[in-house]
Amino acid sequence: MSRGKRLSLALVIALGALVIVRLVYQPKKHRPTPPPTPVRVARARYANIPITLRALGLVQAYRTVTVAPMITGPMIAVDFRQGSVVRRGTLLARIDPRPYQAALAQALAKRAQDEALLAVARDTLKRYRMLITHHYISAEIVAEQKATVAEDRAIVAQDEALVATARTNLGYTRITAPISGRTGILAVNAGNIVSPNTPGGIVTITTIQPIYVLFSLPQQNLPEVMHALNAHALNVTAYARQGGQRTVLAHGALTVLDNVVNQATGTLTLKARFKNPSLALWPGAFVNVRLKVRTEHHVLVVPSVAVRQGPEGPFVYAVQTRTPSSAKGKAAAPRVSDIPVRLGVANQSQTVIRSGLRAGMRVVVLGGSRLHPGARIRILPKRHAPSHA
């Protein structure tokens, strides 16, 4: 190899070594420390927590009656306003009474005729009894007259029944409300021929003050509900959800437990009674139901949103009690630890902690999705809580 080639090769090797040395021994750039994660915290505390069961309920009228005509005839008038509240005995409609007035007059006339015949038969029997004492007539004649009186008496009794039937039918020409309640939509207008077989009757009346709500609970809740019901009255709250808001509609009391569990669904049907003063509950509507069964007294609770589920079970992110200092002497950002907990009963807002925490410990309630054990956090005031969870 010539001297020039050797010099060129040495120069290339020297340049390569220089590049490698610069790459290896170049000082590493300092990576910036990520900022603390903003979170919202709450303290574990002792409280009395109500234990409630929730379900979807169906509003049912306290009483429902379909008003149907008892006789056949043209309906000549409607005497109520649809959707109005009526009292028991209020006149609702009228059927043409003239055929039934004539039938009553005929029954009365027939009764009067038969009563006159009965009076004649009784007078004749009285005379026969006087004559038989003087042996002017035979005993057979007296016996026949007694039978005539009995027959006429039976005919008059039959006439009385016919008169009562005619009066009853005439009374049915005035259709009155059998219960107090709110009327529905009129099914038959005046001018139509109505009869006891008219489909759907004339109108439906429902009693909605008070009113019932039917709902179902899993059969596993039956022992708890039975125990609470035997101890005291159980309060039931009906409420509605709209736009993320919960509106209480009415407060009532549990009144009935069904006597059988639905085998198809494994649930038990319950019925609660509400006074419904503001008419917030309407028959046929669906409402949310909350049944309070008992109260847990002086138990350690945290907000339910603080409880998270991990591979080894439930845990919470708790703020470490000791906060290290930075190199400049300033207090460093606090850190979190994942603490396994044993849970008790819970509702939508609070969860009972049986073990794992102490009263006063701070737990993360918002912002925990970006945390890990040992992560630094920045605790925000309540009004500045981060929007993520």
Side-chain angles (χ1 to χ4, degrees), residues 317-330:
Y317 282 121
V319 180
Q320 295 180 359
T321 55
R322 293 184 179 180
T323 302
S325 299
S326 64
K328 297 181 181 180
K330 297 182 180 180

Side-chain angles (χ1 to χ4, degrees), residues 295-309:
T295 300
E296 291 275 350
H297 296 280
H298 195 65
V299 290
L300 187 65
V301 298
V302 296
S304 296
V305 293
V307 180
R308 314 185 75 83
Q309 292 294 330

Side-chain angles (χ1 to χ4, degrees), residues 301-387:
V301 298
V302 296
S304 296
V305 293
V307 180
R308 314 185 75 83
Q309 292 294 330
E312 298 180 359
F315 70 95
V316 296
Y317 282 121
V319 180
Q320 295 180 359
T321 55
R322 293 184 179 180
T323 302
S325 299
S326 64
K328 297 181 181 180
K330 297 182 180 180
R335 297 178 182 271
V336 294
S337 301
D338 58 331
I339 299 180
V341 292
R342 186 166 63 91
L343 306 180
V345 294
N347 57 27
Q348 287 187 333
S349 60
Q350 294 178 317
T351 297
V352 175
I353 304 298
R354 298 300 185 191
S355 63
L357 293 180
R358 300 186 308 275
M361 294 181 67
R362 293 180 295 175
V363 295
V364 175
V365 294
L366 287 178
S369 60
R370 299 193 301 173
L371 296 180
H372 57 82
R376 299 188 308 136
I377 59 172
R378 177 166 57 90
I379 300 174
L380 295 178
K382 293 183 179 181
R383 61 179 181 274
H384 294 148
S387 58

Side-chain angles (χ1 to χ4, degrees), residues 29-83:
K29 295 183 179 180
H30 179 70
R31 294 183 179 179
T33 303
T37 302
V39 298
R40 178 181 172 183
V41 300
R43 292 187 181 274
R45 61 187 180 88
Y46 286 104
N48 297 332
I49 177 172
I51 306 304
T52 59
L53 304 175
R54 300 174 187 272
L56 181 65
L58 174 65
V59 182
Q60 184 184 70
Y62 186 75
R63 285 179 295 185
T64 301
V65 174
T66 299
V67 180
M70 298 295 293
I71 57 174
T72 300
M75 192 167 68
I76 60 175
V78 175
D79 298 284
F80 73 98
R81 183 169 55 87
Q82 301 178 68

